[in-house]
Amino acid sequence: MSRSPILARLLWKDGWVIWPLALALCGIAVLLYLLVPLLPGNHSPIYSAWLLLFPNLFALGAPQLQVGQEEESRTFYWTRSLPIPWRTAFASNVLTAILGLATVWIVCGLATYLAYRSGDFSTQSSFAYQGMWSADLYRVITFSGLLLGLGYLCSWYFRSPIVALIAVVPIAFLSVGLTHLVNGWVADLLLGDSSADELRLEILLIGHTNIVLTIVYAAIAAYLARRRWTMPENEGGRTSPAFAPTAYRPAPQLALFKPSPTTALLWQAARQSSLAVLCVVGVLLLSLVAVVVIGHYSLSHDFSVMVSGVVLFAIAVLGTVTFGGDHARERHRFLAEIGLGRWQVWWTRLLIPLLVAVPAIAVFCAAVFLVENPRESNATIIVVMIGLAAFGISQLMGMWIRRPAVAVGLGLMLFVIAMLLGFFYEAYPSFLWTGWLGIAALFLASLSMCRRWMDRDRGAVYHGGMVGWLGTAVVAMLLPILAVRWWTTPAAMPEWRERTLAAAARVVDAQPTMGNVRYINVNYRSYYPGPTLRQDLERLQEAFAEAADGGQMFPIGYDLPQVMDGLLEAARSSAPRDTVRGPVPEVFAHMESTGGSEKWYADLLSFALTSVERLPELRHVLRDADLADQYEQIVVAELERPESRQILGEDRWREFVGRLRTIDERREDRRAALLASYWHYVAEDRNNPLQLSLGGYSRWSWRTQALGWERWRVRRWMELATRISLEQLESGVPRPRSPEERKRMEAWAEAFDDQETVRYLQPTRYWNTGLDRRVEALRELGRRAPAAGSDRSGRAGEPEASANGSGG
Amino acid sequence: MQPVISIRDLKKHYRDCKALDGVSFDVPPGVVFALLGENGAGKTTLIKTLTGFVRPDGGSATVLGKDSSKYSLEIRRKIGYVSDAPALYDWMRPDEIGWFTAAFYPEGFLQRYHELIAHFEVPGGRKIRQLSKGQRAKVALALAIAHEPELLILDEPTSGLDPVVRRQFLESMVDRAATGRTVLLSSHQISEVERVADWIAILHEGKLRILQPLSELKESVADVTVTLADAMVEIPLPSGEVLSQSRSGRQLHMMVRDFTDEDAAAIRAAAGVVSIDRRHPSLEDIFVACTHGTPPAAEPSVNHARQVV
């Protein structure tokens, strides 16, 4: 029989094994790409992460499914008994995996491209190597190939899916680390310090190295596959078959004491999961060493992300093993058949992995806080929640999904989706407690489904229950936020409605005042400071000077709030340069050389406050009102710090507190912004198929907000308010879309005839009463006697000095 | 005496398949009760219903006086159950799994378990995954009976075992029944079951075809062969239940329940009958007749079981 039919059959068989994984990854990727635009904020990092995550998840999972799972289900022994050449079998595995990987890459790439075309994705912000997008894509695609080759190597060597998955991670980690180190050195050697070219060469070299490593790993995997395929059952030197009858010997007896049920179950759970737990502990120790030793010298965001990812993966595997260990050969039926209760079985499975997860989460925190600031409000709590959520989701997947590779992969994907929900906490930090509800729901789910799991009840009720519990976790996390948001949406407040109607009557006859604005782009990213950092900071100082001048020209820093935390951290740092954590050292160095970090600190806050004061008078649109709120939140968070008073001095601190808006002023600004934004919306041609939403984005790109329903409610009230104000115009009531209305709208449209402005109209994200309370608390604090202790130094600078705008 | 197991009109269906279709019977205490049926007859579904792993769609089942749906955990703790594919922790050794399981049963389990393992001659130094199929089955049986349950339920326990091991298994069942305990044994190894069973129940396509003590069943069923002068000769049907009938040339072959001497005389006297021969069939013959036999076309197929208590 020729090889072609054999290969075709094998391709068909292997395709059936891995197509569910590819389909699930592609499906979830597409779903997420549809959901992401609904969320506030810059989405480019999310797209970048997924473009890397989904193909690599496939690369990790495919070898385990094809090799490890076949070993566990014993189908390998049957396949091996057929007249199939080992090369053909190996080639079939690899070809189907490459095809599947290519499919996932194409789907994710296509979705990212569509996001790029819709404007929701910026290539410049996606990869830190600006202008090297194609080179970086080459690097990451070859990395997927490396993972695939390594996956086959570990699968054929370990033959257990869980152990192979765990082994892949540290080896991949080492490969990547060494690759980066070596190629960075080589590129530096060849080109010297000519930044952009050196970076490009380094990326290309990394890609080439990935290809070489892929070939090496694949060759080793082929050798192992050949050995496994061709050697008889008694490989390893045994000459007798495994089940040869031996002379009877009395069984050695354990002590004839009876253990307690708890002891017995804990002993069994510990013995069963010992190998996986030890492997995870090994990964954790390696990660800890990496954090302590390497992280101390290399404060790179990429390094932190890599180590954090490895630890999270280990936590996910730990969670999967909790119940997944009893899945093999349906061992859980043994516990069901002797009539054990679900509570007893549940907590004895969970205890040991959970105990190991605690230090794992600590290592995860250490990796994250290499570059992030643990003193940020709620930062530690959020990171711990992330670790627990990863464990919680994985332990549920380990119970639900029989195949460990699929369980780990699905757990990680669901975890990524859960992280999306976490973006809500960025906007609503006071609702962090709902995250605990969601995590608790995950553990309650496994307890609830434990009985059915033990009894091997895999019917519709079982699967429906799992889905229902996952939904419960999501609802628990989101419902309180949505409920409070619904309640506090301006359109829900009767008092706001009355004032809006009254304001509508006033505003409609007045054109919005427009100042000249200049857009300043502070292109500072915490990942790679890059060659433009110095120029960006110099532009920022110019902006300080212009803002302090109070002239008609006012610079708006749309991206600045995203980097303010890093800038303020650098400015308030009093530690020596070498010990400052994160990407801040270069910024700190520049600040010190241009007037001092404390002057920078005061200037940053002053600029933020001036932005809060000037933005509403300049534009009256939602995006800018929201930007003002964002600046104000940053200033408030900063002024709440005890060291802020020391750095600024008591008088300056009180001055800044005094400049914060009152509750009424804040609400007035927001109302005016809503109304003005609505007029801009009305000014567009509603019959235009590219009709803009209130936020200013084309509906074709589905750029509505995650809380679009609340914007819809606001818009309805806006329409009502506008209609009433139209009715108050002189000589009759203009009909909607009448010539009279069109004339009035044209007048408004002229004021907004700025396509740049249209693009940047965004609806509100920071509209909540929490800011009101915090400002009032600060004012109250300011009214009390100053805290003991002098100013930190005399270099905070007088207000006049900041008006010069010079740093030194 | 109260039955150990009582089933009334039990129904269970899976999609378009009726696994159990109105099955009713009682299992008296202190017997070896054999549940026979071909593959897919509903034996495992019935047993899973008794142990609470499957909820019936209709009817009721009580085990040791408790409803199997509501008190499944209690029932499982009290009985000994060996499924058709025992799920053992194969990374444990036999002594380890005995020690582990002893935690959940009263005192004395471990001692009895070790006695059984020694009696079955299971090697102790190997992990369970390194044992042969028969040895694993012995471990599963030892775990099931070491706590001396009143009721032992075995779902095709001898499947795949060699004849020697099968005999050992089944003989131990007889020993257990002799001590007053009840054994419910499902199997399609008819010839082996015939050696040990006290009661026979035959399931076919979800329905109970036969329920009778084995001795009475074998006595009451006759394997009748009628030699005819001509292949087209018709003879009167006997008064008893004809389980199956087939013609082969001039011979008419019938499996008849409650075949009387009067029936034999009537057939002998019929025109065209050359000779009539009857013998006692084996249980296997009866089983085949019940499950694959073709009843006479003139009469409606008898599809009920006469329960003899």
Side-chain angles (χ1 to χ4, degrees):
Chain A
M1 192 180 194
S2 70
R3 285 203 182 142
S4 299
I6 298 177
L7 184 60
R9 299 290 192 278
L10 289 173
L11 287 172
W12 174 83
K13 187 262 292 179
D14 288 329
W16 270 104
V17 169
I18 62 169
W19 83 262
L21 179 64
L23 185 68
L25 286 170
C26 291
I28 293 181
V30 167
L31 184 65
L32 291 176
Y33 275 103
L34 290 175
L35 288 177
V36 160
L38 303 181
L39 291 177
N42 178 16
H43 304 142
S44 294
I46 305 175
Y47 289 123
S48 309
W50 290 347
L51 193 60
L52 298 176
L53 177 68
F54 288 108
N56 289 330
L57 275 179
F58 182 87
L60 279 175
Q64 314 316 323
L65 284 176
Q66 288 179 326
V67 181
Q69 203 59 44
E70 288 224 48
E71 282 272 1
E72 284 235 332
S73 61
R74 316 288 287 176
T75 53
F76 172 74
Y77 296 97
W78 174 73
T79 316
R80 199 173 76 156
S81 70
L82 301 172
I84 299 174
W86 75 269
R87 286 190 192 85
T88 312
F90 185 76
S92 169
N93 282 345
V94 172
L95 284 174
T96 45
I98 289 174
L99 193 62
L101 184 61
T103 304
V104 178
W105 263 114
I106 288 169
V107 169
C108 291
L110 197 61
T112 307
Y113 176 70
L114 289 174
Y116 169 67
R117 287 298 303 263
S118 72
D120 193 31
F121 176 67
S122 164
T123 58
Q124 288 194 338
S125 58
S126 63
F127 298 102
Y129 307 99
Q130 294 193 15
M132 303 177 199
W133 197 79
S134 56
D136 219 26
L137 200 58
Y138 168 65
R139 176 179 69 111
V140 297
I141 288 178
T142 52
F143 178 69
S144 290
L146 184 153
L147 272 186
L148 196 65
L150 186 57
Y152 278 115
L153 189 160
C154 293
S155 296
W156 281 112
Y157 186 77
F158 291 105
R159 287 181 261 140
S160 162
I162 287 285
V163 177
L165 267 176
I166 295 172
V168 163
V169 172
I171 300 174
F173 176 59
L174 283 170
S175 302
V176 168
L178 281 172
T179 304
H180 275 70
L181 275 172
V182 168
N183 288 299
W185 175 77
V186 169
D188 190 45
L189 195 65
L190 291 176
L191 290 180
D193 187 20
S194 64
S195 310
D197 288 339
E198 182 193 348
L199 280 171
R200 176 179 284 278
L201 178 63
E202 184 181 338
I203 298 167
L204 289 173
L205 284 174
I206 290 170
H208 301 333
T209 310
N210 286 343
I211 291 177
V212 169
L213 283 175
T214 303
I215 293 171
V216 169
Y217 291 148
I220 299 172
Y223 165 73
L224 292 169
R226 175 180 172 277
R227 196 177 73 160
R228 184 81 184 109
W229 198 271
T230 57
M231 280 186 73
E233 189 71 30
N234 54 339
E235 67 177 288
R238 280 185 291 146
T239 54
S240 58
F243 302 139
T246 55
Y248 167 69
R249 287 197 316 272
Q253 290 192 4
L254 290 179
L256 286 178
F257 68 92
K258 194 169 83 82
S260 69
T262 303
T263 307
L265 286 168
L266 284 174
W267 168 84
Q268 179 264 325
R271 279 281 303 270
Q272 188 161 273
S273 61
S274 57
L275 181 59
V277 167
L278 281 173
C279 291
V280 167
V281 168
V283 168
L284 293 180
L285 286 173
L286 276 175
S287 304
L288 188 61
V289 166
V291 164
V292 169
V293 175
I294 303 174
H296 182 74
Y297 296 104
S298 169
L299 296 174
S300 150
H301 193 280
D302 265 3
F303 179 79
S304 168
V305 168
M306 201 158 47
V307 178
S308 308
V310 166
V311 176
L312 264 182
F313 183 83
I315 293 174
V317 169
L318 200 58
T320 305
V321 160
T322 303
F323 296 103
D326 283 300
H327 262 307
R329 299 185 186 90
E330 297 187 338
R331 291 166 182 162
H332 51 80
R333 281 198 296 120
F334 183 83
L335 305 173
E337 287 168 6
I338 58 176
L340 293 184
R342 66 170 171 178
W343 163 251
Q344 199 174 31
V345 171
W346 179 78
W347 79 262
T348 51
R349 310 296 90 188
L350 205 54
L351 181 66
I352 293 166
L354 197 55
L355 286 175
V356 178
V358 169
I361 292 172
V363 175
F364 177 60
C365 290
V368 169
F369 293 135
L370 274 178
V371 294
E372 302 296 336
N373 185 359
R375 291 188 296 275
E376 286 289 327
S377 65
N378 299 318
T380 308
I381 296 175
I382 291 175
V383 173
V384 169
M385 278 175 64
I386 290 172
L388 265 179
F391 181 84
I393 291 173
S394 302
Q395 56 91 35
L396 190 60
M397 291 302 109
M399 177 184 276
W400 190 7
I401 310 291
R402 205 169 152 258
R403 296 183 180 183
V406 177
V408 171
L410 192 60
L412 283 172
M413 283 190 288
L414 288 176
F415 172 71
V416 166
I417 296 174
M419 289 290 286
L420 264 187
L421 299 174
F423 279 105
F424 282 98
Y425 296 131
E426 188 187 1
Y428 309 107
S430 55
F431 287 95
L432 209 54
W433 57 272
T434 61
W436 295 114
L437 286 182
I439 292 172
L442 295 169
F443 288 99
L444 282 173
S446 58
L447 174 60
S448 168
M449 305 308 293
C450 192
R451 178 82 264 153
R452 290 185 186 273
W453 169 72
M454 286 165 64
D455 285 352
R456 200 175 157 253
D457 177 2
R458 299 290 183 267
V461 174
Y462 181 76
H463 296 298
M466 286 292 190
V467 173
W469 272 106
L470 285 171
T472 301
V474 171
V475 166
M477 285 173 66
L478 287 185
L479 191 61
I481 299 174
L482 296 179
V484 172
R485 186 71 179 168
W486 179 277
W487 184 255
T488 61
T489 302
M493 294 190 276
E495 189 185 325
W496 182 87
R497 292 176 199 164
E498 287 178 18
R499 291 191 185 182
T500 303
L501 295 179
R506 286 200 309 273
V507 170
V508 70
D509 277 319
Q511 287 187 358
T513 56
M514 290 285 291
N516 286 321
V517 297
R518 181 167 64 85
Y519 173 64
I520 177 172
N521 180 20
V522 182
N523 196 24
Y524 168 72
R525 284 288 176 210
S526 60
Y527 317 107
Y528 290 90
T532 64
L533 175 64
R534 193 167 291 114
Q535 290 94 314
D536 290 335
L537 291 173
E538 285 169 2
R539 286 172 66 201
L540 196 55
Q541 282 182 294
E542 290 169 9
F544 290 164
E546 282 188 51
D549 267 344
Q552 212 168 2
M553 290 287 289
F554 181 75
I556 300 177
Y558 283 106
D559 290 337
L560 189 56
Q562 296 173 32
V563 300
M564 280 285 276
D565 286 339
L567 292 170
L568 285 167
E569 183 190 346
R572 83 170 93 89
S573 171
S574 61
R577 174 182 172 177
D578 289 339
T579 61
V580 175
R581 307 299 290 174
V584 159
E586 292 197 34
V587 177
F588 180 81
H590 179 82
M591 288 178 176
E592 284 290 291
S593 65
T594 54
S597 59
E598 288 167 359
K599 185 177 182 307
W600 267 89
Y601 186 78
D603 287 346
L604 279 167
L605 290 177
S606 180
F607 178 76
L609 281 167
T610 309
S611 299
V612 173
E613 290 155 3
R614 296 292 303 270
L615 274 166
E617 77 184 48
L618 285 176
R619 295 208 174 240
H620 284 284
V621 292
L622 280 172
R623 170 63 166 85
D624 299 294
D626 202 46
L627 185 64
D629 289 342
Q630 197 176 3
Y631 272 121
E632 197 168 34
Q633 285 209 357
I634 290 171
V635 170
V636 166
E638 202 57 35
L639 293 177
E640 284 173 343
R641 292 175 176 277
E643 60 264 41
S644 171
R645 265 176 127 148
Q646 292 178 343
I647 298 171
L648 292 170
E650 192 59 32
D651 290 340
R652 201 78 198 276
W653 184 87
R654 284 170 190 268
E655 176 204 331
F656 284 161
V657 170
R659 284 172 68 179
L660 295 168
R661 292 178 291 181
T662 63
I663 294 175
D664 287 340
E665 285 171 346
R666 196 172 298 110
R667 287 182 184 166
E668 223 16 81
D669 289 341
R670 288 167 178 165
R671 282 190 214 105
L674 267 174
L675 290 170
S677 292
Y678 179 74
W679 280 118
H680 179 74
Y681 161 73
V682 167
E684 298 295 319
D685 183 0
R686 288 185 183 178
N687 293 323
N688 189 334
L690 290 180
Q691 185 182 10
L692 299 181
S693 66
L694 192 58
Y697 293 105
S698 167
R699 285 195 184 141
W700 269 13
S701 65
W702 298 99
R703 290 293 299 279
T704 54
Q705 283 293 305
L707 304 181
W709 51 264
E710 78 176 38
R711 299 191 60 245
W712 174 79
R713 293 176 80 206
V714 170
R715 195 176 75 209
R716 284 188 61 204
W717 274 102
M718 296 293 294
E719 287 175 351
L720 176 63
T722 309
R723 195 174 306 120
I724 291 173
S725 65
L726 285 173
E727 288 170 359
Q728 294 171 354
L729 290 176
E730 74 282 9
S731 60
V733 177
R735 289 175 292 108
R737 300 194 188 87
S738 65
E740 292 82 359
E741 182 190 341
R742 184 164 277 281
K743 281 182 189 170
R744 174 114 358 221
M745 293 304 109
E746 280 171 1
W748 282 84
E750 280 176 14
F752 289 99
D753 187 20
D754 179 359
Q755 289 305 307
E756 277 300 281
T757 310
V758 168
R759 284 181 53 226
Y760 288 102
L761 276 179
Q762 286 184 12
T764 177
R765 284 179 294 149
Y766 293 91
W767 193 317
N768 63 79
T769 54
L771 184 57
D772 293 340
R773 286 196 302 272
R774 290 168 74 187
V775 169
E776 291 309 305
L778 268 178
R779 289 187 196 281
E780 180 61 32
L781 196 63
R783 281 191 279 272
R784 295 183 199 155
S790 59
D791 297 349
R792 195 174 76 172
S793 75
R795 292 196 295 147
E798 298 297 324
E800 294 79 21
S802 72
N804 293 332
S806 62
Chain B
M1 200 178 290
Q2 199 173 9
V4 173
I5 295 174
S6 181
I7 297 174
R8 291 288 173 267
D9 196 32
L10 204 61
K11 292 187 175 82
K12 179 68 185 176
H13 64 270
Y14 296 106
R15 291 191 182 178
D16 55 353
C17 165
K18 281 185 184 171
L20 296 171
D21 190 8
V23 174
S24 301
F25 64 84
D26 292 333
V27 176
V31 301
V32 177
F33 190 100
L35 187 64
L36 305 179
E38 74 262 65
N39 295 331
K43 305 187 298 296
T44 300
T45 303
L46 181 70
I47 287 175
K48 284 188 173 176
T49 307
L50 294 176
T51 49
F53 285 106
V54 164
R55 279 185 179 268
D57 295 324
S60 66
T62 56
V63 177
L64 298 175
K66 293 196 183 296
D67 187 321
S68 66
S69 298
K70 289 182 191 160
Y71 300 101
S72 61
L73 285 186
E74 272 190 54
I75 290 171
R76 289 179 216 172
R77 285 177 199 137
K78 284 191 172 175
I79 67 173
Y81 172 54
V82 181
S83 66
D84 53 347
L88 302 175
Y89 284 101
D90 54 5
W91 52 267
M92 295 185 189
R93 295 193 310 268
D95 51 340
E96 287 175 336
I97 201 169
W99 177 83
F100 170 70
T101 312
F104 311 108
Y105 292 107
E107 294 290 341
F109 177 96
L110 202 51
Q111 181 80 27
R112 285 189 292 272
Y113 172 78
H114 283 296
E115 287 168 4
L116 285 162
I117 290 293
H119 174 68
F120 289 141
E121 296 189 354
V122 175
R126 295 173 163 227
K127 294 187 194 287
I128 288 174
R129 64 167 158 256
Q130 294 170 323
L131 300 179
S132 68
K133 191 170 182 180
Q135 289 165 338
R136 268 182 269 175
K138 289 175 182 175
V139 171
L141 183 65
L143 289 170
I145 63 180
H147 65 286
E148 296 192 325
E150 275 184 60
L151 170 64
L152 183 62
I153 299 181
L154 307 173
D155 190 356
E156 300 191 26
T158 59
S159 169
L161 302 182
D162 65 64
V164 174
V165 176
R166 280 210 296 267
R167 285 205 177 183
Q168 279 182 312
F169 245 84
L170 296 171
E171 279 166 7
S172 68
M173 300 302 104
V174 175
D175 294 339
R176 291 197 56 77
T179 62
R181 292 180 165 80
T182 311
V183 178
L184 173 66
L185 166 69
S186 107
S187 178
H188 48 258
Q189 304 281 351
I190 312 291
S191 54
E192 299 291 337
V193 165
E194 190 173 4
R195 293 161 52 84
V196 299
D198 299 315
W199 277 75
I200 298 293
I202 298 179
L203 278 182
H204 177 58
E205 292 179 349
K207 294 187 195 306
L208 192 65
R209 292 282 281 122
I210 297 279
L211 176 68
Q212 208 166 1
L214 177 61
S215 54
E216 289 180 26
L217 179 66
K218 289 174 79 169
E219 279 296 320
S220 66
V221 176
D223 185 356
V224 179
T225 305
V226 181
T227 306
L228 306 168
D230 186 86
M232 304 304 292
V233 168
E234 294 290 336
I235 59 166
L237 288 172
S239 57
E241 179 189 355
V242 179
L243 298 174
S244 70
Q245 176 181 294
S246 63
R247 278 186 186 253
S248 174
R250 291 189 298 120
Q251 284 205 325
L252 174 67
H253 185 80
M254 293 184 291
M255 194 77 70
V256 184
R257 204 169 174 182
D258 298 328
F259 187 75
T260 61
D261 291 335
E262 289 74 18
D263 292 327
I267 292 173
R268 201 174 284 115
V273 173
V274 174
S275 64
I276 179 170
D277 177 46
R278 68 175 175 182
R279 63 179 183 87
H280 288 297
S282 65
L283 182 59
E284 189 164 333
D285 293 333
I286 298 171
F287 176 80
V288 172
C290 286
T291 57
H292 289 93
T294 310
E299 294 185 10
S301 57
V302 180
N303 214 13
H304 63 83
R306 289 191 295 166
Q307 301 185 13
V308 180
V309 177

